[in-house]
Amino acid sequence: MSVFPIYRPRRLRASENLRRLVRETSLSVDDLIYPMFVVHGDDTAIEISSMPGCYQYSIDRLVKAAKELASLGIPGTILFGIPETKDALGSEAYAEDGIIQQAVRAIKDAVSDLLVITDVCLCEYTDHGHCGIIEGGDVQNDPTLDLLVKESVSHARAGADVIAPSDMMDGRVGAIRDALDEEGYENIPIMAYSAKYASAFYGPFREAAESAPQFGDRRSYQMDPANAEEALREVALDIEEGADIVMVKPALSYLDVIHQVKTEFQMPVAAYNVSGEYAMIKAAAQNEWIDEKRVALEVLTSIKRAGADMILTYFAKSVVEWLEI
């Protein structure tokens, strides 16, 4: 390679149009999935205090929000439900008239081309706040699979386009894939939360989804933040079991993992720009310590640059506005 003064890298940074022409990574509306929270009730939109601009919606208001997403060109949403009542087995998670099942049907009736992804887990629905059946103070892996299968099939029956298991139980992707196929839903993809870390960045989400564990924590089933090689093993297992898309969550502190997963497997990779990452930017921007637009776009571009094909982010609607300016 030629050296200075023959080669001057600054030549290609001199104007915005030059920078556009040589830009290696681009962020677009096509990359975005917008998470939404749904509750029982009517004409309800409760702002989440730790996540400014995000709401718990009743189904009627959720449909309006879904129409807005479609009008913005955002390809899809992922739904999280808050039940009226919780119990030890998370019964509303797989009830035919559960909050998510109702929400999916309502959105697909109103905005049929919006991709509806459903989070499959039990933590929002259980009275103990853990992601599976509790026996002797521990989450039981294999008995929990039966409930996750029931939840997944009920979502598919309601009209979900993509099933996204987030519980981190061993073997759940294979169990869900088998059940979906047996029920005639062989064409519904699975977006597996394959490398989901036991992260401190989930705090605001637990307020939004009302899903904080009532005892202990989730480190016995979510991944240790120190591990990257284990993430590759988890992803490999999910692909072998039938995952169509694999996810790394959170995103910002795990860019190395996103890169390794994309390089190793060449599969569609999703990254979840989680609630804590969102809340930090919003809080700093409200205090006028940072430029929200520039920081958020920089973060999301870094996630794309690391190898993510799609990003679940609470900034999705803002990104569309920012990219059009």
Side-chain angles (χ1 to χ4, degrees), residues 196-215:
K196 181 179 180 180
Y197 286 86
S199 172
F201 284 98
Y202 301 151
F205 176 91
R206 290 175 181 170
E207 176 197 350
E210 301 179 12
S211 63
Q214 298 304 299
F215 63 89

Side-chain angles (χ1 to χ4, degrees), residues 47-272:
E47 187 167 22
I48 300 157
S49 62
S50 57
M51 299 172 64
C54 296
Y55 297 83
Q56 294 177 333
Y57 291 114
S58 57
I59 290 174
D60 54 337
R61 296 290 290 270
L62 183 79
V63 168
K64 291 180 181 178
K67 289 179 178 178
E68 180 189 10
L69 297 184
S71 72
L72 292 171
I74 293 172
T77 182
I78 183 166
L79 300 181
F80 300 91
I82 297 97
E84 279 188 313
T85 59
K86 303 187 179 196
D87 59 39
L89 299 180
S91 300
E92 192 175 319
Y94 40 88
E96 292 303 314
D97 62 347
I99 187 63
I100 287 295
Q101 291 78 357
Q102 293 183 52
V104 171
R105 288 191 288 266
I107 291 177
K108 297 309 291 186
D109 284 345
V111 200
S112 60
D113 57 345
L114 182 70
L115 195 72
V116 176
I117 305 164
T118 55
D119 178 82
V120 170
C121 196
L122 298 174
C123 60
E124 298 108 300
Y125 304 93
T126 55
D127 53 13
H128 47 72
H130 281 283
C131 302
I133 296 173
I134 300 292
E135 292 181 10
D138 292 324
V139 176
Q140 301 300 301
N141 192 97
D142 294 6
T144 297
L145 299 185
D146 293 336
L147 300 186
L148 298 172
V149 163
K150 290 174 65 176
E151 184 178 4
S152 299
V153 171
S154 73
H155 290 180
R157 191 175 293 124
D161 297 297
V162 180
I163 303 299
S166 65
D167 54 282
M168 288 301 285
M169 297 298 113
D170 295 337
R172 90 276 203 211
V173 172
I176 291 169
R177 182 74 273 162
D178 288 346
L180 290 174
D181 291 356
E182 288 173 6
E183 293 291 329
Y185 299 113
E186 63 274 5
N187 292 323
I188 292 185
I190 294 175
M191 174 191 285
Y193 288 63
S194 298
K196 181 179 180 180
Y197 286 86
S199 172
F201 284 98
Y202 301 151
F205 176 91
R206 290 175 181 170
E207 176 197 350
E210 301 179 12
S211 63
Q214 298 304 299
F215 63 89
D217 53 46
R218 295 176 179 149
R219 286 182 290 181
S220 69
Y221 45 100
Q222 294 178 358
M223 285 184 54
D224 187 333
N227 294 354
E229 292 178 2
E230 182 187 9
L232 300 182
R233 294 195 295 272
E234 284 275 15
V235 169
L237 285 169
D238 283 356
I239 292 171
E240 289 172 9
E241 291 178 21
D244 302 282
I245 302 167
V246 293
M247 188 194 298
V248 177
K249 179 184 180 183
L252 189 54
S253 293
Y254 301 89
L255 297 176
D256 59 322
V257 177
I258 294 170
H259 180 72
Q260 289 181 67
V261 168
K262 187 62 180 180
T263 301
E264 178 76 16
F265 299 103
Q266 294 296 301
M267 287 283 288
V269 176
Y272 202 140

